[in-house]
Structure formats: C-alpha cells, structure tokens
Amino acid sequence: MPRQIRLIQLADVAHEQTPNEILLDTQLNTELHIISENNQTIIKLPYGNKFDIIDGMIIIKDKT
C-alpha cells in the first residue's frame, strides 16, 4: 500500500540568513546538518555519529 510522504524544499525550512542550510534534529544525539552548495548536498553529523549505507539507505548510529 502506498504511503504519503511530504516533499519539502530546503529553502522552505531554512532561516532567511542561511537559505541553503538547515540543522535537523531527529532524536537524542542525532542531528543532520544539511548544506547545499556548489551544486552538491553535504550532510554533516555534528555529534560524530557513525553510519552505514545499506540498500541505498543511510542508517545513523550513536558513535558509542
């Protein structure tokens, strides 16, 4: 069964002074700092979380 997912443009949620950058808090000790610059998207993990890429999905884990 299909599910509905909202598509949001980065500029729609960014601060006026930083239209190409957001900080997304997903859960305790997990933040995604998303930046769009020079025709590329950069995702930083400010808390130093580890991640795996499995079947095209990014799985973020606590760094411990």
Side-chain angles (χ1 to χ4, degrees):
M1 170 127 188
R3 59 185 187 172
Q4 301 223 354
I5 299 174
R6 177 178 239 173
L7 175 63
I8 299 173
Q9 298 296 318
L10 187 63
D12 293 341
V13 293
H15 190 276
E16 183 179 298
Q17 294 177 348
T18 54
N20 296 322
E21 183 173 351
I22 65 168
L23 183 61
L24 179 63
D25 182 16
T26 60
Q27 66 179 8
L28 185 63
N29 292 331
T30 302
E31 288 183 352
L32 303 175
H33 188 177
I34 304 171
I35 306 163
S36 175
E37 65 182 20
N38 300 327
N39 293 324
Q40 61 183 354
T41 299
I42 301 166
I43 299 175
K44 294 181 181 181
L45 303 170
Y47 287 113
N49 302 77
K50 304 294 183 190
F51 68 94
D52 292 320
I53 299 177
I54 301 171
D55 294 330
M57 296 182 293
I58 300 171
I59 311 298
I60 299 172
K61 304 178 281 190
D62 197 351
K63 69 178 183 177
T64 57

